[in-house]
Amino acid sequence: MTSSVREKTAAAAPIPFDNSYARLPQHFHAAAVPTPVSEPWLIKFNRPLAIELGLDADALEREGAAIFSGNAIPAGAEPLGMAYAGHQFGQFVPLLGDGRAILIGEVIDIHGRRRDIQLKGAGKTPYSRRGDGRAALGPVLREYIVSEAMFALGIPATRALAAVVTGEPVYRERVLPGGVITRVAASHIRVGTFQFLAARGDTEGLKVLSDHVIARHYPGIETQERPYLTLLQAVIERQASLIARWLCAGFIHGVMNTDNCAISGETIDFGPCAFLDAYDPAKVFSSIDRGGRYAYGRQPAIGQWNMARLAETLLPLLDPEPSEAVNLANDAIGNYGALFQTHWLTGMKAKIGLHTEEDGDLDLVQGLLSAMHRNETDFTLTFRKLCDAAEGSAKDGPLRDLFAGTADIDAWLAAWRERTGREPLSDAQTAAVMRAVNPAIIPRNHRIEQAIRAAEDDGDFSLFEALNDALARPYEDRPGFAAYAAPPAPSEEVLKTFCGT
Ligand code: AMP
Ligand code: MG
């Protein structure tokens, strides 16, 4: 630890750090001390998460502006930037690294799980290249809202512990207020972390990283006959499951570069992410995704592409015989499609109230999606209104109203009723089970945009607060929150999202 870090420890509240990444070989990371900001102000502190992490929530809330801006470094922190490479829109960059994020350390949470605590936007690191190491307030608020919404939806994702405004401007296309988000992750190890070592020809380092990942995210694998192959298979399985969850929720990550693909299976770095309003598999929101590489419906295929890049890095560990290593890797990658399809179909079937198996189930799911696409119906509302329809055809009205051509949906509803008639649950039970997987409220783009606008333009965080409240219980119809379930009016529609780097 540098002396400047030590000097700053006095004012800080205790976080019981238990750092492991800092113990890994030196070239895996670089010391990076947050750059102080002039006038930090705590916008939001996630008290329940702090308690789950085993932190002193009272002390952190009191000193949050200093700690979560990086102005005060808590005792025991070993701030560092992690090294990683990555394929960005298909182009390989051998060294990216944390250019605007600083890992301050790890804690063991109250469930015994190791979690990273990272300040994103806290100033330059040795990996900043030409960047300023800063984040604008807008993307900080967006990440806060979506991280916590993903948690409430039950989709694995990094969490948000705090958000601050720095009191300093950041210079993008225009001058914007600066912010810092404190991000919590199972780890920040990415496919790109493996690629960084592979690109250096560092097989020993790959083994060290793999062993670290196994101990941390996939315990038990170390005793397998081929632990590194089993690791690859396990990461593939989690990625297939994760992307199926995204599709079932209408989520578009936006920038699925290999450096934004976490080995733990959490959703990470969803800068220009968005949720679908109208269903369209080709939908893209991200301003930088001009070719639609990361469109909603392309995400499963990109997930497999990313896993193939991971597999390449692991080849030297899979088998001493190169051709055998390639065969093993190909088999593992080849399984991805079936794994994804199983997770996706199970998830989509649950959305329409099916839990037993019959031959025509896939067609039934696809029939609904096709009707939705033809009629441009709102993804979230369609499934939520279908929960009402599950209570009986007298309640079909709100669902049918979403479809311009009701013939489409009427034919589908008839087939669906015939099929659900062979499920064991009562109508009321089916509706309740469906409501637990089909959210009423998702972080709609126009709501996020409105919250950001009010915060940036007027320093008004009330919309941000209200939106977080609305998203905290997405599967309930709560009085007072009905407006958050509504799709945007044409004038409110958000056509593009930005990652704000
Ligand atoms: P991202 O698009 O956020 O996934 O970032 C891609 C790469 O660019 C990572 O290596 C980031 O650390 C780096 N980066 C993004 N924004 C900045 C910034 N403002 N300053 C320095 N590095 C940045
Ligand atoms: Mg990234």
Side-chain angles (χ1 to χ4, degrees):
M1 210 192 283
T2 65
S3 64
S4 65
V5 174
R6 276 217 188 85
E7 280 156 24
K8 285 193 224 154
T9 58
I15 295 177
F17 286 110
D18 180 337
N19 304 330
S20 65
Y21 208 78
R23 305 281 90 74
L24 295 181
Q26 220 156 28
H27 60 288
F28 282 36
H29 46 76
V33 181
T35 306
V37 295
S38 58
E39 242 183 298
W41 180 69
L42 184 65
I43 306 161
K44 185 86 180 156
F45 172 61
N46 190 340
R47 178 171 274 271
L49 178 58
I51 292 166
E52 181 186 316
L53 292 173
L55 313 183
D56 182 344
D58 290 333
L60 282 176
E61 186 149 34
R62 240 183 357 257
E63 299 179 35
I67 291 171
F68 298 124
S69 63
N71 278 13
I73 311 292
E78 292 175 272
L80 59 83
M82 291 166 65
Y84 53 85
H87 274 92
Q88 300 193 303
F89 291 91
Q91 295 298 313
F92 186 63
V93 183
L95 179 58
L96 291 164
D98 288 328
R100 58 160 170 173
I102 295 176
L103 177 68
I104 60 168
E106 301 154 31
V107 296
I108 308 295
D109 74 12
I110 57 172
H111 307 294
R113 298 174 300 193
R114 180 175 294 280
R115 315 275 288 269
D116 274 4
I117 301 179
Q118 188 200 61
L119 304 181
K120 189 170 172 185
K124 284 188 191 169
T125 76
Y127 307 112
S128 294
R129 293 168 287 160
R130 288 184 301 280
D132 60 1
R134 292 298 181 190
L137 177 61
V140 165
L141 298 181
R142 169 183 289 277
E143 180 161 344
Y144 194 104
I145 293 163
V146 177
S147 307
E148 293 308 294
M150 294 292 260
F151 169 68
L153 288 166
I155 302 173
T158 59
R159 300 287 308 274
L161 179 61
V164 299
V165 277
T166 60
E168 294 180 358
V170 296
Y171 301 91
R172 299 293 183 259
E173 306 83 45
R174 55 197 180 97
V175 183
L176 296 165
V180 178
I181 183 162
T182 302
R183 177 159 79 177
V184 174
S187 84
H188 286 84
I189 300 168
R190 307 139 192 272
V191 169
T193 317
F194 284 78
Q195 291 181 294
F196 164 73
L197 297 169
R200 295 165 54 117
D202 182 7
T203 304
E204 189 47 40
L206 281 164
K207 195 170 170 307
V208 171
L209 181 65
S210 299
D211 290 340
H212 177 83
V213 163
I214 289 172
R216 190 162 174 177
H217 301 305
Y218 300 93
I221 282 181
E222 65 279 2
T223 58
Q224 300 278 313
E225 195 183 324
R226 288 184 182 271
Y228 305 115
L229 176 63
T230 313
L231 170 63
L232 175 63
Q233 290 164 337
V235 176
I236 288 172
E237 156 65 26
R238 274 195 207 171
Q239 202 58 214
S241 160
L242 178 67
I243 295 173
R245 305 284 289 272
W246 291 355
L247 263 65
C248 288
F251 178 77
I252 309 172
H253 181 289
V255 59
M256 290 174 69
N257 295 335
T258 55
D259 51 303
N260 295 334
C261 177
I263 293 293
S264 66
E266 286 181 341
T267 313
I268 194 169
D269 272 2
F270 29 97
C273 69
F275 282 75
L276 289 175
D277 292 309
Y279 176 65
D280 174 4
K283 191 72 192 169
V284 175
F285 287 95
S286 167
S287 62
I288 55 172
D289 189 5
R290 291 186 192 91
R293 179 179 169 92
Y294 302 138
Y296 170 80
R298 284 192 48 82
Q299 296 181 114
I302 289 292
Q304 183 173 36
W305 194 88
N306 287 346
M307 291 299 95
R309 304 291 77 75
L310 174 66
E312 284 166 358
T313 71
L314 290 173
L315 287 175
L317 304 183
L318 295 184
D319 198 275
E321 177 59 50
S323 64
E324 177 60 9
V326 169
N327 287 339
L328 292 170
N330 275 337
D331 285 350
I333 297 298
N335 283 336
Y336 172 95
L339 289 171
F340 170 79
Q341 183 68 13
T342 301
H343 285 296
W344 177 82
L345 187 55
T346 304
M348 290 305 295
K349 280 178 58 179
K351 284 175 82 71
I352 64 169
L354 301 184
H355 298 275
T356 61
E357 259 180 61
E358 288 190 18
D359 275 349
D361 290 347
L362 175 60
D363 289 344
L364 194 63
V365 167
Q366 266 161 352
L368 178 59
L369 290 174
S370 302
M372 288 165 66
H373 189 197
R374 274 195 299 278
N375 291 272
E376 297 177 11
T377 65
D378 184 84
F379 184 86
T380 302
L381 273 189
T382 302
F383 287 103
R384 189 68 181 182
K385 298 300 178 201
L386 186 63
C387 306
D388 300 336
E391 289 177 359
S393 54
K395 300 207 170 165
D396 286 354
L399 173 67
R400 295 178 75 237
D401 289 347
L402 299 175
F403 287 77
T406 45
D408 258 359
I409 190 64
D410 287 345
W412 186 85
L413 279 170
W416 175 65
R417 290 228 152 82
E418 201 211 296
R419 171 65 183 88
T420 49
R422 295 190 292 277
E423 288 280 313
L425 297 184
S426 72
D427 290 352
Q429 286 169 327
T430 299
V433 171
M434 284 172 66
R435 286 193 185 100
V437 294
N438 290 306
I441 300 179
I442 49 146
R444 291 189 183 266
N445 308 321
H446 67 295
R447 289 286 181 182
I448 296 176
E449 196 57 33
Q450 288 163 4
I452 291 174
R453 286 272 65 76
E456 263 183 11
D457 299 346
D458 309 320
D460 171 8
F461 291 91
S462 62
L463 272 64
F464 169 72
E465 285 294 335
L467 183 54
N468 282 316
D469 287 348
L471 292 165
R473 285 150 66 186
Y475 296 105
E476 295 171 34
D477 293 308
R478 285 189 290 159
F481 290 96
Y484 290 93
S491 65
E492 294 174 320
E493 220 172 303
V494 172
L495 303 174
K496 289 254 173 283
T497 53
F498 302 86
C499 48
T501 53

